Amino acid sequence: MNQDDLFKKVIAHAKEYGFIFQSSEIYDGLSAVYDYGQNGVELKKNLRDYWWKAMVQMHENIVGLDTAIFMHPTTWKASGHVDAFNDPLIDNKDSKKRYRADVLLEDYAEKLRQKAEKEIAKAKKRFGDDFDEAMYRETNPRVRKYLDEVDATLQRMARSLEAGDLNDVKALIEEKGIACPVSGSKNWTDVRQFNLMFGTQMGSTAEGASTLYLRPETAQGIFVNFLNVQKTGRMKIPFGIAQTGKAFRNEIVARQFIFRQREFEQMEMQFFVRPGEELKWYEYWKEARMKWHQSLGMDESYYRFHDHEKLAHYANAAADIEFKFPFGFKELEGIHSRTDFDLKAHEEHSGKKLQFFDPELGKNYVPYVVETSIGLDRLFLAVLSYALQEEKLEDGSSRTVLRIPAPIAPVKAAILPLLKKDGLPEISREILNELRFDFNVQYDEKDAIGKRYRRHDAIGTPFCITVDHDTKEDHCVTLRERDSMQQERVPIDSLKSRLLESLSMSTLIK
Ligand code: GAP
């Protein structure tokens, strides 16, 4: 399956099996807003729980928080979002389509990069084992030409955006001959800045109402509560505060399914450290977060770091963990060394001190912050697209299977009476009642057993438990494992401990 087909299949599968629906679909949908269905909500919850356990439960010095979506409007002035949370947009005059100018240039650079990779792959095939890829990348003129142009384009774009020189961004788009992907036209408007925050009104009368913003990140709720948590939790530096929750951004170009939405969920952790120690902790969290991703069992080659060359004004180091989505490597999580920018800005705007008295140093200071920030929906998409597989079976038939790590799977086990009679449904329901408090299990008696197995493969259920006539005699059931499709007889009494062994999230964390 090529990557385009895979992506289409992921989207169709997500809908067909109750993972994700377009928001307000009966009204033709709302662009870049999605709802999670009966299986999606379970998978999303499990991913969130796994993150929470790894970050909060497994760290003595990290605690959780749940702050409101609405915050005092000055928060966003202090954080810089009112003045600088902008994307450069450009319209095509003929197609009337709107684009992010930086994305047009990044897509152009990505195409060149892919051309270079194609050349390299061809050479690899030609030279076999003797192929020195690093050398070829450096010396082959065609490859160099592509890669040099990638670097030059991205560097000039970064310089122009940083300097606020939007005329040069437009000039670059024109010089590179970039056309509107819809119409092929090169008839562009000027580039303008567009603030991504959604505004709304709080208050019942027009005169008394004040403008609020829907938070564009959860991090600021943590910063403004820094002292509340530090004092009431008697936290000592270094310590972290974690939270998960909705964030909202009026994305100019929303595409790629749940990858870029206007309403999405973040899982963020701010780690407060001594000034001067932030880069040590930055390296620590880069490594720790990469390990966490790899604990989900996806191949290492699907991840890479992208170290930022162009840093935001508040950061002194930043990197993304990128994942190989069906549409290429893209940001999944950001790790940022945010210095003392946020706490200092809130001190200035609120007039309140946000400092820590360090008993070892005998002085107060504004802590520095290392942030880890991941989009839950992007993580969901990564897991779903990696897990979805079409498999040819030995008997010539095929099956669609979601190889989601068992502890994360939406439904943990399906209990299936072989027939709808002879007391088999009753025994099945007894097993269901025995297991349902500890695991999300389902009872399913409709259709032939093979069809039921396929249905559960397609939603990633790791175990099917079949109750047959022998069960009445030997008090055993057939336990079928999703990936190997192997079946074994297991006493009903041992089912719970057997499932726990494979389904506990601790198996992933270890
Ligand atoms: N507090 C830092 C922060 O918000 P960010 O890089 O803008 O940093 C963090 O966002 C993460 O949130 C991203 O790595 C991505 O996973 C997710 N994210 C950002 N915008 C998103 C969107 N429009 N739709 C879905 N996820 C998004």
Side-chain angles (χ1 to χ4, degrees), residues 216-217 219 249 251 258-261 264 266 268 331-334 336 338 371 373-375 378:
E217 61 171 13
R249 294 183 189 178
E251 298 284 357
I258 55 170
F259 180 82
R260 193 176 302 287
Q261 297 175 87
F264 57 99
Q266 287 187 318
E268 298 200 295
E331 176 183 346
L332 173 59
E333 169 155 5
H336 312 121
R338 292 181 75 129
E371 166 185 74
S373 175
I374 175 171
R378 284 192 191 176

Side-chain angles (χ1 to χ4, degrees), residues 12 30 133 176 185 197 203 214 250 287 290 302 318 334 348 393 437 455:
L30 187 64
E133 185 176 326
K176 299 297 170 195
S185 146
M197 282 197 295
L214 299 187
N250 197 0
E287 198 186 316
M290 184 59 108
Y302 274 66
E348 277 161 26
L393 302 179
F437 190 83
R455 199 151 57 221

Side-chain angles (χ1 to χ4, degrees), residues 24 52 54 75 82 88 134 142 149 153 161 188 210 246 254 283 363 379 381 427 432 436 486 495 500:
S24 327
W52 190 266
T75 309
V82 171
R142 247 205 310 257
E149 191 172 346
T153 306
L161 286 174
W188 296 108
S210 57
K246 287 277 178 128
E283 291 303 332
K363 64 172 187 180
L379 178 63
L381 183 58
I427 303 174
L432 180 84
R436 74 192 325 175
Q486 292 208 332
L495 267 178
L500 262 182

Side-chain angles (χ1 to χ4, degrees), residues 11-27:
I11 297 171
H13 193 88
K15 174 162 186 203
E16 187 179 347
Y17 287 93
F19 284 89
I20 298 170
F21 308 124
Q22 175 77 59
S23 160
S24 327
E25 197 189 74
I26 60 167
Y27 294 105

Side-chain angles (χ1 to χ4, degrees), residues 67 94 101 168 188 287 331 335 482 490:
T67 69
D94 298 320
D168 192 56
W188 296 108
E287 198 186 316
E331 176 183 346
I335 295 121
R482 178 195 66 201
V490 172

Side-chain angles (χ1 to χ4, degrees), residues 401-459:
V401 56
L402 268 187
R403 291 176 182 268
I404 299 173
I408 305 292
V411 177
K412 298 297 193 282
I415 297 133
L416 317 171
L418 193 60
L419 296 177
K420 271 193 258 180
K421 56 182 186 181
D422 303 336
L424 304 189
E426 287 75 12
I427 303 174
S428 302
R429 286 201 176 276
E430 270 172 36
I431 297 174
L432 180 84
N433 286 333
E434 190 55 35
L435 297 177
R436 74 192 325 175
F437 190 83
D438 295 297
F439 310 100
N440 185 27
V441 285
Q442 276 185 5
Y443 173 81
D444 190 356
E445 62 176 22
K446 194 170 173 292
D447 298 320
I449 193 75
K451 217 166 173 188
R452 282 181 270 169
Y453 283 158
R454 291 289 172 277
R455 199 151 57 221
H456 279 281
D457 286 343
I459 62 166

